[in-house]
């Protein structure tokens, strides 16, 4: 049996919004797997901060300023990456925001802002890279989905709508471009320790755990939050030849949350 090909050697990977957090960890894993790594962030300050962090971690990367919701900027950045680095073989639509507001108190502008980053942007960026992937003979697109691609909860209506839509966009890209040897899959992280979830883990004044923190511990069979390290292997797998016959799949990396009714209080 031939060796299973998890290598990303010779591939160019663009991870959006990867100055820190999950995107940074995936960029690190891809560099370690042999890929040439590209990331973007919304402004020069953020990109410079990211470049410093990558240098600190001894990870070679190319950084670009690009707001993923800006169609013109995305198309120009995709073309620039292709000129300066190479055709994008692997795209990870990682950039995302969340606004935790009860729906009846949320403005339509706030709702649209979340949809813009978490759903419209993966469409815009994927559309910018697919033509060159087709010319090159194939590619990998990985969309950062969520527990909220499957579940709702209070205060995250916009985010759940976006991530549910992103699940179906993933399946549709797989359906429409699978014939061009493009595999489009999603990763659905559980609750991961990053800046995005920091408010849900803040210690209370009496030093006790945040109620939501305790809730997630009870909802997770592993009785812990995930870390960005937990996402590295799944991300490399979905970017590698080892997953060439997987398409339209959302790989939940959630410690078992979706399978578990939760620990009895
Ligand atoms: P994070 O810590 O908030 O980082 C998000 C990144 O996206 C930041 O670098 C941010 O840059 C960037 N970004 C936001 N808007 C952007 C825009 N318009 N253009 C370019 N970059 C933009 O988030 P995370 O926890 O690492 O999550 C990364 C992805 O995984 C997101 O899609 C999130 O929804 C998803 N996810 C997270 C979890 C979790 O538990 N953490 C679980 C499931 C899914 P700036 O800081 O400069 O704005
Ligand atoms: C929340 C959290 C979640 C996580 C993640 C879970 O407020 O419920 O932010 O949405 O970010 O998406 O998979």
């Amino acid at each position: 049996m031939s060796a299973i090909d998890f290598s990303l050697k010779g591939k160019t990977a663009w991870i959006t919004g990867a100055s820190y957090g999950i995107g940074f960890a995936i960029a690190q894993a891809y560099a370690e797997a042999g890929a040439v790594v590209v990331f973007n962030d919304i402004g020069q300050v953020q990109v410079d901060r990211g470049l410093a962090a990558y240098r600190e971690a001894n990870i070679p990367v190319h950084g670009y300023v690009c707001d993923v919701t800006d169609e013109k900027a995305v198309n120009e950045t995709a073309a620039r990456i292709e000129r300066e680095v190479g055709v994008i073989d692997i795209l990870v639509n990682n950039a995302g925001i969340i606004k935790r507001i009860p729906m009846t108190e949320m403005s339509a502008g706030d709702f649209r802002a979340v949809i813009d980053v978490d759903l419209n942007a993966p469409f815009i960026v994927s559309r910018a890279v697919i033509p060159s992937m087709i010319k090159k003979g194939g590619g990998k697109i990985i969309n950062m989905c969520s527990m909220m691609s499957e579940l709702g909860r209070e205060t995250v209506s916009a985010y759940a709508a976006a991530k549910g839509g992103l699940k179906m966009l993933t399946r549709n890209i797989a359906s429409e471009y699978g014939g061009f040897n493009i595999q489009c899959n999603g990763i659905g992280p559980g609750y991961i320790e990053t800046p995005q979830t920091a408010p849900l883990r803040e210690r209370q004044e009496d030093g006790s755990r945040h109620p939501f923190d305790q809730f997630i511990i009870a909802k997770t069979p592993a009785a812990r939050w995930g870390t960005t390290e937990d996402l590295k292997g799944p991300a490399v797998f979905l970017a590698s030849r080892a997953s060439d016959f997987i398409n339209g799949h959302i790989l939940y990396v959630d410690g078992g949350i979706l399978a578990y009714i939760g620990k009895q209080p």
Side-chain angles (χ1 to χ4, degrees), residues 151-176:
L151 303 170
R153 83 173 185 86
E154 298 77 5
T155 77
V156 297
S157 59
Y159 186 84
K163 294 298 187 181
L166 185 56
K167 173 174 73 172
M168 285 315 301
L169 178 63
T170 300
R171 291 179 176 163
N172 212 78
I173 292 172
S175 305
E176 196 164 359

Side-chain angles (χ1 to χ4, degrees), residues 209-223:
R209 301 181 83 133
H210 189 294
F212 195 89
D213 180 355
Q214 297 176 52
F215 169 67
I216 290 303
I217 298 296
K219 282 288 285 179
T220 310

Side-chain angles (χ1 to χ4, degrees), residues 16-23 40-43 46 49 66-69 93-98 117-118 144-147 159 163 187-197 225 228:
T16 67
S19 291
Y20 55 85
I22 289 173
N40 71 291
D41 210 315
I42 202 162
Q46 292 87 342
R49 191 187 306 140
C66 177
D67 175 346
V68 292
T69 67
N93 284 306
N94 168 76
I97 63 170
I98 190 167
V117 180
D118 295 3
M144 206 50 69
C145 295
S146 160
M147 294 288 93
Y159 186 84
K163 294 298 187 181
I187 290 176
Y191 281 80
I192 311 295
E193 293 175 345
T194 72
Q196 192 247 51
T197 56
W225 284 68
T228 57

Side-chain angles (χ1 to χ4, degrees), residues 7-11 29-36:
S7 170
L8 304 184
K9 197 166 173 50
K11 303 293 184 185
Y30 284 8
E32 286 167 2
V36 174

Side-chain angles (χ1 to χ4, degrees), residues 89-202:
D89 302 289
I90 303 159
L91 168 65
V92 180
N93 284 306
N94 168 76
I97 63 170
I98 190 167
K99 291 180 186 288
R100 300 182 182 94
I101 306 167
M103 186 177 144
T104 53
E105 297 165 30
M106 183 176 230
S107 71
D110 274 339
F111 188 92
R112 276 195 291 269
V114 175
I115 298 290
D116 216 12
V117 180
D118 295 3
L119 181 57
N120 292 345
F123 160 76
I124 291 168
V125 184
S126 301
R127 189 186 59 181
V129 306
I130 284 172
S132 292
M133 284 184 173
I134 291 174
K135 284 193 199 113
K136 191 169 181 180
K140 299 280 188 177
I141 298 174
I142 297 157
N143 292 322
M144 206 50 69
C145 295
S146 160
M147 294 288 93
M148 276 54 220
S149 297
E150 301 293 342
L151 303 170
R153 83 173 185 86
E154 298 77 5
T155 77
V156 297
S157 59
Y159 186 84
K163 294 298 187 181
L166 185 56
K167 173 174 73 172
M168 285 315 301
L169 178 63
T170 300
R171 291 179 176 163
N172 212 78
I173 292 172
S175 305
E176 196 164 359
Y177 296 100
F180 297 96
N181 189 33
I182 290 174
Q183 290 85 48
C184 181
N185 293 291
I187 290 176
Y191 281 80
I192 311 295
E193 293 175 345
T194 72
Q196 192 247 51
T197 56
L200 306 174
R201 291 178 280 108
E202 277 169 2

Side-chain angles (χ1 to χ4, degrees), residues 231-252:
L231 296 165
K232 287 182 171 179
V236 169
F237 167 62
L238 288 179
S240 74
R241 295 294 314 275
S243 61
D244 277 2
F245 203 54
I246 295 175
N247 219 349
H249 182 73
I250 313 301
L251 179 56
Y252 287 101

